[in-house]
Amino acid sequence: MNIGEVAKSSSVSAKMIRHYESIGLIHTSPRTLSGYRQYHDRDVHLLRFIRRARDLGFSLEQIRQLVSLWDNPERASADVKRLAQAHITDLDQRITALTDMRDTLVTLAKSCHGDHRPDCPILHGLAAAS
Amino acid sequence: MNIGEVAKSSSVSAKMIRHYESIGLIHTSPRTLSGYRQYHDRDVHLLRFIRRARDLGFSLEQIRQLVSLWDNPERASADVKRLAQAHITDLDQRITALTDMRDTLVTLAKSCHGDHRPDCPILHGLAAAS
DNA sequence: GCTTGACCTTGCCAGCATGGTAAGGTTTAA
DNA sequence: TTAAACCTTACCATGCTGGCAAGGTCAAGC
């Protein structure tokens, strides 16, 4: 399989596959005589795994650990769970931060009449300590 | 005022002040003979404004527009409100995306016993279509 | 055999916002 | 005079992804 086909069936762009190879997230693939990368089904599985982990917001560094756990039949599920929970905590923090921003902004926006007049509590709120 | 003092009282690092200048978010400041940037109180106000907008998650591009509205006594508050609401929509989307990730991950983590055994629904969930 | 188009290769540049570090000049206070 | 604390510019790094350029390769059709 060439890289294009793998990209299509894994939903990871060829660009990213090469990148993942360059940073050592996936193994370097064998090449044809002319230098084309050659892949097998298991590579597609791995890339799909990576893609799903990305979709869940894991960083490539975390995915590196997930992949090594995935590869390791001796792993303890506790290790995986620990990683997942650390990520959940991280997501929660980001959600909280964004929600706080949102709420502040909604409050400011509510008090802004939003017409042709220049007076605007949103700008005041940004200019003064909130 | 030198840049360090401005940085301290605006909570924007000297590094960032120079950067904002280089991308035209703030005006180039006058210099002393030896090349030191010189600032006034109004620059501190502007940088605080920028800092608060950053804290609310506005991008520098959005802030560029906010600053020009702030500077413009002829502005319509509707323009500010429009910007704010676009940002709220954006925040809502990001919050939703993160929350979806979180929920999926929590579901997976719940079903993982998290002990010494290698069998792990989290890895299964990543490997197979969720 | 030759052309064409679709594929592949590498390499470099871009964003976003910020931090770091290096190598040097300036100011201020002791 | 010297040391510390400041300032200057310039470059590199992050994390993830896309884009473009300049070239090589392969398969199909004429």
Side-chain angles (χ1 to χ4, degrees), chain B residues 13 15-16 20 34 36 54 59-60:
Chain B
S13 71
K15 192 94 186 187
M16 281 301 100
Y20 292 163
S34 53
Y36 284 23
R54 287 288 310 133
S59 71
L60 292 188

Side-chain angles (χ1 to χ4, degrees), chain A residues 58 62 65-66 69 78-88, chain B residues 105:
Chain A
F58 283 98
Q62 290 172 309
Q65 299 179 259
L66 284 174
L69 289 169
D79 292 336
V80 184
K81 193 162 182 170
R82 205 171 4 253
L83 261 178
Q85 260 163 351
H87 185 42
I88 290 171
Chain B
L105 213 48

Side-chain angles (χ1 to χ4, degrees), chain A residues 80-97:
Chain A
V80 184
K81 193 162 182 170
R82 205 171 4 253
L83 261 178
Q85 260 163 351
H87 185 42
I88 290 171
T89 301
D90 185 51
L91 287 172
D92 281 338
Q93 285 170 354
R94 285 153 67 189
I95 291 167
T96 302

Side-chain angles (χ1 to χ4, degrees), chain A residues 12-25:
Chain A
V12 177
S13 73
K15 191 94 186 188
M16 282 301 100
I17 296 174
R18 295 192 195 100
H19 180 60
Y20 292 163
E21 185 187 294
S22 83
I23 64 173
L25 184 57

Side-chain angles (χ1 to χ4, degrees), chain A residues 56-73:
Chain A
L56 288 179
F58 283 98
S59 71
L60 291 186
E61 225 27 67
Q62 290 172 309
I63 291 174
R64 194 188 296 274
Q65 299 179 259
L66 284 174
V67 167
S68 100
L69 289 169
W70 192 50
D71 271 349
N72 174 14

Side-chain angles (χ1 to χ4, degrees), chain A residues 69-82, chain B residues 108-127:
Chain A
L69 289 169
W70 192 50
D71 271 349
N72 174 14
E74 312 288 316
R75 74 192 164 235
S77 61
D79 292 336
V80 184
K81 193 162 182 170
R82 205 171 4 253
Chain B
L108 287 174
K110 259 187 200 151
S111 61
C112 173
H113 33 67
D115 56 18
H116 65 286
R117 286 172 295 175
D119 184 51
C120 177
I122 300 173
L123 292 180
H124 286 315
L126 287 170

Side-chain angles (χ1 to χ4, degrees), chain A:
Chain A
M1 249 187 298
N2 285 344
I3 201 170
E5 196 181 341
V6 176
K8 219 176 266 174
S9 50
S10 69
S11 304
V12 177
S13 73
K15 191 94 186 188
M16 282 301 100
I17 296 174
R18 295 192 195 100
H19 180 60
Y20 292 163
E21 185 187 294
S22 83
I23 64 173
L25 184 57
I26 60 179
H27 291 300
T28 62
S29 78
R31 306 281 188 120
T32 63
L33 285 181
S34 53
Y36 283 25
R37 287 173 180 80
Q38 286 306 116
Y39 296 97
H40 300 277
D41 284 348
R42 62 173 171 280
D43 301 310
V44 175
H45 295 329
L46 172 59
L47 286 166
R48 277 188 195 149
F49 178 92
I50 292 172
R51 173 60 201 260
R52 293 214 184 81
R54 287 287 310 133
D55 286 347
L56 288 179
F58 283 98
S59 71
L60 291 186
E61 225 27 67
Q62 290 172 309
I63 291 174
R64 194 188 296 274
Q65 299 179 259
L66 284 174
V67 167
S68 100
L69 289 169
W70 192 50
D71 271 349
N72 174 14
E74 312 288 316
R75 74 192 164 235
S77 61
D79 292 336
V80 184
K81 193 162 182 170
R82 205 171 4 253
L83 261 178
Q85 260 163 351
H87 185 42
I88 290 171
T89 301
D90 185 51
L91 287 172
D92 281 338
Q93 285 170 354
R94 285 153 67 189
I95 291 167
T96 302
L98 290 178
T99 304
D100 287 351
M101 290 179 197
R102 196 201 92 101
D103 291 348
T104 302
L105 213 48
V106 166
T107 303
L108 287 175
K110 258 186 200 151
S111 61
C112 173
H113 32 67
D115 56 19
H116 65 285
R117 287 171 296 174
D119 183 50
C120 176
I122 300 173
L123 291 180
H124 286 315
L126 286 169
S130 41

